[in-house]
Amino acid sequence: MHRGKGMKFVGDSRVPAERKPNIPKDYSEYPGKTEAFWPNFLLREWMVGAVFLIGFLVLTVAHPAPLETIADPTETGYVPLPDWYFLFLYQLLKYEFAAGPYTVMGAVVIPGVAFGALLLAPWLDGGKERRFYKRPIGTGLMILGVISIIFLTWESVDQHDWEAAEQQGQIQEDMEIDESAAGYEIYQTQDSCISCHGGDMMGGAAGPNIFESDYDTDEVIDIIQNGIGEMPGDQFEGSDEELETLAAFIANDGQDPDNGDGGDGGDDEDEDDGEENNDGEENEDAGDNEE
Amino acid sequence: MLQKVYDWVDERLDITPLWRDIADHEVPEHVNPAHHFSAFVYCFGGLTFFVVVIQILSGMFLTMYYVPDIIHAYESVYYLQNEVTHGMIVRGMHHWGASLVIVMMFLHTLRVFFTGSYKKPRELNWVVGVLLFFVILGLGFTGYLLPWDMKAYFATVVGLEIAEAAPFVGEFARVLLAGGDIIGAQTLARFFAIHVFFLPGALLGLLGAHFFMIRKQGISGPL
């Protein structure tokens, strides 16, 4: 590089006027089968990245990101669970030596020592030897740490009630029932039905939401007449014709089957529109609750 | 044409030395899986960076729809998930990417540890790497609250209870993070700010230092 007297610059800048050609270095003099990062190695890295990305996208499409219902701080029964990579910490706090009066142990001391040691590893293990089998203490402690993390995560997953977790926090699909339908009017006269399933048919003291299960008209009639599970039969008061109208109304997800509005035989577009409206309404409700 | 543009810029800014520093360096045989397949363990760091880039890009797109307040946060995520074109995929990438980045970083840490690559003269790079580990865990923790659904809220409640258990600074740390005594509107706004501005800023700075040091020192030699 030219230095000192006689240096030329571009204009009045500090950029030297003398151009150097941009020719890659020759790696043949480096030891072994060395290759250039650009473009040889990066191209291969790029291909590994592409394969990785495909796997990643397949995972993304196969398992949509979960979303539960909007946060409700007044819900006291909710069993919380952190994301999986914090489970080992969460589990640690369940053991006697790290809970209650010793929470400081589980929350600060044990993780602090572990991560502090990780941070200071170069000074805790200051020897020149790099091979892991030549420095058994460091290697042993690291393996112990990894096994503890895997064990604690495993225990946490094992002890968590996944079935209960699946039930809680679900998004409730708000249904819109056609209250002008003949079936709905018939239902309103059935005190026995209402006493368990509620006046809005959405479930009540003893019975579930009527529309929860997917039965067709004949099955609904059969259930009303003969009962199912804890539900007794023969509670319906009215003619067979009324029974059939009610059953058709229930089987048609709360829409009047005679209107051709939704249902099995109805046109699908209407049904879709109905569902979207429901979503919108549900969101509004959720917002109202927050206010 | 491209060469002319390059020459035009190079004449004014002298970028060739910069370009040489960034791109033109050797990749030794012992880290190249094309020569020894077992060298794939050296890919984990690069893949961690790759997922971090995905996280930054997908996160940028998510903020186009996300609204960080307790009334609209959930609804905007719901809308993003169910109505926005490809919203489900972008949110899915950000969600699963968070897990992947931690897996890859964990593997990268183990590789560096078991090959003894953190030893002199690379101690500082190891420290920066562990700090990156903490930053990414922090991003995972703060990002988990943002959808403002049930599991997000209650996981944060538990997380802040754990923070509170720390002696002396616990109470302060909890109030600082939650923005008050209750976990609510302030908490969400704070977690959003931390997740989108503070921690990514720290992340980019530390990543810059990480890469600067690896270029300066070169990759550790074969065992």
Side-chain angles (χ1 to χ4, degrees):
Chain A
M1 192 180 161
H2 192 133
R3 286 180 187 280
K5 257 191 169 179
M7 265 188 93
K8 287 196 177 71
F9 295 96
V10 179
D12 63 350
S13 76
R14 274 72 172 159
V15 176
E18 209 176 307
R19 300 260 59 83
K20 271 178 275 146
N22 188 4
I23 299 167
K25 284 180 211 158
D26 185 1
Y27 290 107
S28 60
E29 292 194 11
Y30 286 79
K33 299 185 186 97
T34 294
E35 66 181 13
F37 176 75
W38 175 279
N40 307 28
F41 186 75
L42 197 64
L43 190 66
R44 236 190 318 259
E45 193 107 307
W46 201 282
M47 289 190 281
V48 172
V51 172
F52 182 84
L53 186 63
I54 290 170
F56 181 30
L57 282 174
V58 167
L59 171 73
T60 302
V61 172
H63 297 279
L67 185 65
E68 293 184 347
T69 190
I70 188 166
D72 177 10
T74 58
E75 166 82 53
T76 49
Y78 193 89
V79 181
L81 192 70
D83 219 350
W84 65 267
Y85 41 83
F86 288 120
L87 283 179
F88 69 100
L89 263 179
Y90 185 58
Q91 179 68 16
L92 182 63
L93 290 163
K94 289 184 184 168
Y95 294 104
E96 234 172 87
F97 59 87
Y102 306 113
T103 304
V104 175
M105 280 298 284
V108 183
V109 178
I110 295 175
V113 167
F115 283 104
L118 190 73
L119 190 69
L120 299 177
W123 293 279
L124 296 176
D125 176 22
K128 277 209 158 64
E129 189 52 67
R130 279 181 55 205
R131 290 182 188 82
F132 63 87
Y133 49 84
K134 289 276 180 69
R135 44 192 177 95
I137 297 175
T139 304
L141 287 174
M142 186 54 132
I143 290 176
L144 189 71
V146 171
I147 289 176
S148 318
I149 288 178
I150 293 173
F151 171 78
L152 286 171
T153 308
W154 178 275
E155 282 289 291
S156 180
V157 170
D158 195 43
Q159 288 175 15
H160 191 66
D161 189 346
W162 291 99
E163 277 174 27
E166 213 168 291
Q167 296 299 318
Q168 63 183 6
Q170 276 179 343
I171 295 176
Q172 299 291 331
E173 293 287 340
D174 243 14
M175 287 196 52
E176 209 173 332
I177 309 173
D178 182 0
E179 296 188 358
S180 64
Y184 184 78
E185 280 163 26
I186 294 168
Y187 180 82
Q188 293 303 323
T189 64
Q190 304 297 322
D191 293 336
S192 173
C193 300
I194 291 172
S195 69
C196 286
H197 292 290
D200 58 359
M201 311 176 84
M202 293 299 181
N209 184 336
I210 284 182
F211 306 108
E212 200 174 75
S213 312
D214 234 358
Y215 294 115
D216 66 23
T217 309
D218 292 336
E219 286 167 335
V220 175
I221 291 176
D222 182 61
I223 290 167
I224 292 174
Q225 283 174 338
N226 302 320
I228 186 170
E230 288 177 15
M231 172 176 162
D234 281 333
Q235 302 291 313
F236 186 80
E237 292 164 9
S239 67
D240 283 355
E241 214 169 90
E242 284 173 332
L243 176 62
E244 204 176 321
T245 312
L246 175 62
F249 175 69
I250 291 171
N252 202 29
D253 291 335
Q255 306 303 321
D256 195 341
D258 296 332
N259 276 353
D261 194 13
D264 307 332
D267 50 357
D268 291 329
E269 266 178 63
D270 275 358
E271 196 171 63
D272 288 344
D273 286 346
E275 272 171 20
E276 271 171 35
N277 290 340
N278 291 345
D279 292 345
E281 232 188 47
E282 183 205 21
N283 287 342
E284 275 166 30
D285 289 351
D288 290 346
N289 288 342
E290 277 306 321
E291 284 162 357
Chain B
M1 179 63 198
L2 217 58
Q3 186 62 44
K4 274 191 177 162
V5 173
Y6 180 89
D7 288 342
W8 190 90
V9 176
D10 190 43
E11 189 191 347
R12 281 151 184 83
L13 294 174
D14 198 22
I15 55 175
T16 295
L18 276 177
W19 168 249
R20 285 270 154 264
D21 279 348
I22 293 167
D24 197 16
H25 50 91
E26 52 139 8
V27 177
E29 183 187 354
H30 73 281
V31 304
N32 192 337
H35 294 297
H36 311 282
F37 182 70
S38 61
F40 73 88
V41 293
Y42 287 88
C43 283
F44 296 141
L47 287 175
T48 308
F49 178 62
F50 183 57
V51 188
V52 165
V53 170
I54 290 177
Q55 289 303 90
I56 293 173
L57 291 176
S58 57
M60 279 158 62
F61 281 101
L62 289 180
T63 54
M64 285 183 166
Y65 288 93
Y66 180 74
V67 184
D69 77 57
I70 54 170
I71 293 169
H72 301 106
Y74 176 77
E75 283 169 53
S76 64
V77 174
Y78 188 90
Y79 180 73
L80 185 67
Q81 177 84 357
N82 294 291
E83 308 286 337
V84 176
T85 314
H86 304 315
M88 192 195 253
I89 293 189
V90 176
R91 180 164 176 258
M93 287 179 85
H94 205 69
H95 174 87
W96 293 112
S99 295
L100 271 182
V101 83
I102 283 168
V103 171
M104 286 299 149
M105 192 172 53
F106 188 65
L107 294 173
H108 176 58
T109 309
L110 291 183
R111 193 281 292 171
V112 173
F113 184 84
F114 285 118
T115 56
S117 303
Y118 58 89
K119 299 201 166 228
K120 191 185 172 189
R122 299 187 174 80
E123 300 97 323
L124 278 178
N125 215 3
W126 169 266
V127 171
V128 168
V130 176
L131 294 179
L132 275 167
F133 202 121
F134 296 153
V135 167
I136 291 202
L137 285 180
L139 281 164
F141 178 65
T142 51
Y144 204 62
L145 177 70
L146 299 185
W148 200 251
D149 64 352
M150 290 293 270
K151 68 178 162 53
Y153 182 84
F154 286 101
T156 304
V157 171
V158 173
L160 289 180
E161 271 170 20
I162 294 174
E164 201 176 6
F168 311 118
V169 294
E171 180 63 28
F172 174 72
R174 202 203 86 101
V175 172
L176 183 72
L177 285 171
D181 291 330
I182 57 161
I183 295 168
Q186 279 286 342
T187 318
L188 183 63
R190 266 186 201 201
F191 272 46
F192 179 74
I194 293 170
H195 186 78
V196 173
F197 296 107
F198 289 79
L199 289 180
L203 181 79
L204 291 178
L206 288 169
L207 271 181
H210 208 58
F211 293 156
F212 171 76
M213 282 190 257
I214 188 77
R215 282 294 299 111
K216 193 86 181 169
Q217 299 174 327
I219 199 157
S220 58
L223 281 171

